[in-house]
Amino acid sequence: MAKDPLAEAGFYFDELNKLRVLEPDVSQKTSELKEECKEFVDKIGQFQKIVGGLIEMVDELAKEAETEKMRAIGARNLLKSVAKQREAQQQQLQALIAEKKMQLESESCFCFRYRIEYEALSKVESEQNEFIDQFILQK
């Protein structure tokens, strides 16, 4: 088969009978590649949108987690503070109880002393009354 002189020179006609520099095969493959590249770029754009949304969502969740973490730390610190306050209050109350016990013991000691003194004075009174009665009877 004889070669086309235009083909030998690197010129070709397409389906619309336009003069082209590329072979029809190469031109078709180039068009297909161009379409595939366009689809790829579109898919990459969609992927970037999805990833962007995912990153935003993860950032939001990270912020919420950080907020909850801070809230938990605050609650834990408050709980420790309350526990320390209760411990201090308990120590104060124990000291007060010890003080009141000592006061009660000293008061009971005074009561015991007063009772002994009362008994002694009652004995003295009864002796003096007896003496007075005897003195009156003798007169």
Side-chain angles (χ1 to χ4, degrees):
M1 174 167 174
K3 288 200 172 189
D4 187 14
L6 287 174
E8 285 179 11
F11 294 108
Y12 304 96
F13 287 103
D14 66 3
E15 62 275 347
L16 300 175
N17 290 324
K18 289 188 177 182
L19 188 61
R20 302 285 180 193
V21 178
L22 289 175
E23 292 182 29
D25 276 3
V26 174
S27 178
Q28 182 182 358
K29 287 182 181 179
T30 303
S31 294
E32 288 173 3
L33 183 60
K34 181 180 175 183
E35 279 298 313
E36 287 178 16
C37 287
K38 185 178 182 247
E39 288 175 11
F40 179 75
V41 168
D42 290 344
K43 286 181 182 180
I44 291 293
Q46 289 175 350
F47 179 73
Q48 285 178 336
K49 285 181 184 178
I50 291 170
V51 169
L54 181 63
I55 289 172
E56 285 180 21
M57 188 169 38
V58 168
D59 285 344
E60 239 179 78
L61 289 174
K63 286 178 186 176
E64 288 178 20
E66 189 66 26
T67 302
E68 286 301 317
K69 178 181 168 186
M70 288 299 166
R71 190 175 292 142
I73 288 171
R76 182 180 65 197
N77 290 343
L78 179 64
L79 190 60
K80 284 180 182 178
S81 155
V82 167
K84 285 181 182 180
Q85 285 176 349
R86 282 188 181 172
E87 188 177 316
Q89 186 180 20
Q90 184 179 13
Q91 288 175 353
Q92 287 176 345
L93 290 174
Q94 286 175 343
L96 183 63
I97 288 171
E99 182 183 329
K100 293 294 181 180
K101 277 185 179 180
M102 288 177 58
Q103 189 178 19
L104 182 63
E105 286 174 5
S106 73
E107 285 177 4
S108 69
C109 181
F110 285 132
C111 287
F112 181 71
R113 193 180 306 157
Y114 288 143
R115 189 167 26 105
I116 291 174
E117 191 175 333
Y118 172 74
E119 288 173 1
L121 289 174
S122 292
K123 186 176 178 184
V124 168
E125 180 187 20
S126 71
E127 287 174 0
Q128 286 180 355
N129 281 338
E130 193 176 306
F131 176 77
I132 289 173
D133 285 344
Q134 285 179 359
F135 183 75
I136 289 178
L137 284 178
Q138 285 179 2
K139 281 190 171 188

